[in-house]
Amino acid sequence: MTALDPSVYAKLLRTNSASLSTLLLKRGLKNTAVRGVRPLASAGGPMIGPAVTVRYIPAREDIDGSTYSSDPSNQQRRAIDTIPDGHVLVFDCRSLAEVAGIGAMLARRLVYRGAAGLVLDGGVRDTADIAQLGLPTYCMGPAAPANLVAHHASDMNQPIACGGVAVYPDDIIFGDSEAVIVIPREYVDDIAEEAVAMEEQEEFLKLEIEAGKSTLGVYPPNQETLERYEAWRQARHMTA
């Protein structure tokens, strides 16, 4: 697994899921927002980190008994015990909201490991407890039944589906109050750079609209608006 460059991380901190979705769309990537998940608790900033993936398949009674949780071959436990600092654990729960993919004990281990967050297209148990841990968690809602009721962790760090989106190991996961976005690693440097420029330009366009200008010619900006923006940008950076 490869850590995210600190300069790229800093740029992503300045953007949001809507901007990233637009920039990915411009590259032809339409299916990048994980469907059905919401943050378990409000966070101070976005969740950002490379993906570590775990796939759940349907549980089977002769395999997923009470001893499987402590079995060294359990891929869920392996991922939780080895996740690198700053990475995001992403589960393929097959969109089963009524069964928990994880609970508070294992979430605590993720905090100890320095995980950047957790995303699963399924339920979470012990939600009040997890919400207090400070671990950014995106899920489909609370669910009391344990994962062994329906899930068997078949593998880790393989391509998975989460909320209808393909997630490959080492993709960059970005989550804020609006959405979780999956960014292919090969695009993240350029997208982070463009996102900062996009946020700055949109700040100016908001000022234009708030000053009473019509959206026509401002959003999207025509040449005249772009010239005003460039003058505003240069003046701003000269005084910064």
Side-chain angles (χ1 to χ4, degrees):
M1 308 302 294
T2 308
L4 187 59
D5 184 278
S7 65
V8 175
Y9 181 87
K11 291 170 186 173
L12 290 174
L13 282 175
R14 298 168 58 186
T15 188
N16 58 65
S17 58
S19 295
L20 294 173
S21 176
T22 297
L23 291 170
L24 287 163
L25 180 60
K26 289 180 178 179
R27 288 163 169 79
L29 296 170
K30 301 176 182 179
N31 187 35
T32 58
V34 178
R35 292 186 282 281
V37 302
R38 300 296 301 163
L40 192 60
S42 298
M47 173 191 71
I48 304 166
V52 170
T53 62
V54 174
R55 185 200 319 277
Y56 282 142
I57 63 173
R60 209 173 74 180
E61 288 76 7
D62 62 327
I63 295 174
D64 299 292
S66 59
T67 61
Y68 181 63
S69 292
S70 57
D71 191 320
S73 69
N74 186 323
Q75 297 296 299
Q76 180 216 47
R77 296 300 181 89
R78 182 181 165 210
I80 290 168
D81 271 341
T82 62
I83 187 169
D85 182 74
H87 285 57
V88 176
L89 185 56
V90 185
F91 284 102
D92 174 359
C93 296
R94 310 185 314 284
S95 295
L96 291 180
E98 65 272 19
V99 177
I102 197 170
M105 287 294 186
L106 300 185
R108 275 176 166 74
R109 178 63 173 165
L110 290 174
V111 173
Y112 177 83
R113 293 286 305 174
L118 172 66
V119 181
L120 58 165
D121 61 345
V124 168
R125 68 196 314 208
D126 311 318
T127 51
D129 193 347
I130 293 177
Q132 295 177 2
L133 291 177
L135 176 71
T137 300
Y138 292 78
C139 63
M140 297 184 76
N147 71 321
L148 292 179
V149 170
H151 297 311
H152 173 86
S154 63
D155 53 58
M156 65 171 285
N157 279 337
Q158 297 294 322
I160 63 169
C162 185
V165 178
V167 183
Y168 286 75
D170 229 24
D171 281 346
I172 303 305
I173 309 300
F174 179 99
D176 60 14
S177 61
E178 192 163 87
V180 173
I181 303 294
V182 180
I183 309 170
R185 169 72 76 150
E186 64 187 285
Y187 295 129
V188 72
D189 291 8
D190 290 342
I191 280 183
E193 187 72 30
E194 292 175 27
V196 171
M198 185 176 180
E199 295 300 331
E200 187 174 41
Q201 186 185 88
E202 289 197 350
E203 182 181 348
F204 171 76
L205 299 182
K206 289 173 185 176
L207 293 173
E208 291 272 282
I209 292 171
E210 289 168 3
K213 288 186 172 62
S214 169
T215 58
L216 297 175
V218 170
Y219 188 74
N222 59 19
Q223 187 57 39
E224 182 181 343
T225 301
L226 288 174
E227 290 172 0
R228 290 198 305 274
Y229 163 65
E230 185 58 27
W232 174 86
R233 189 187 70 81
Q234 290 186 15
R236 186 188 201 195
H237 285 276
M238 285 177 63
T239 58

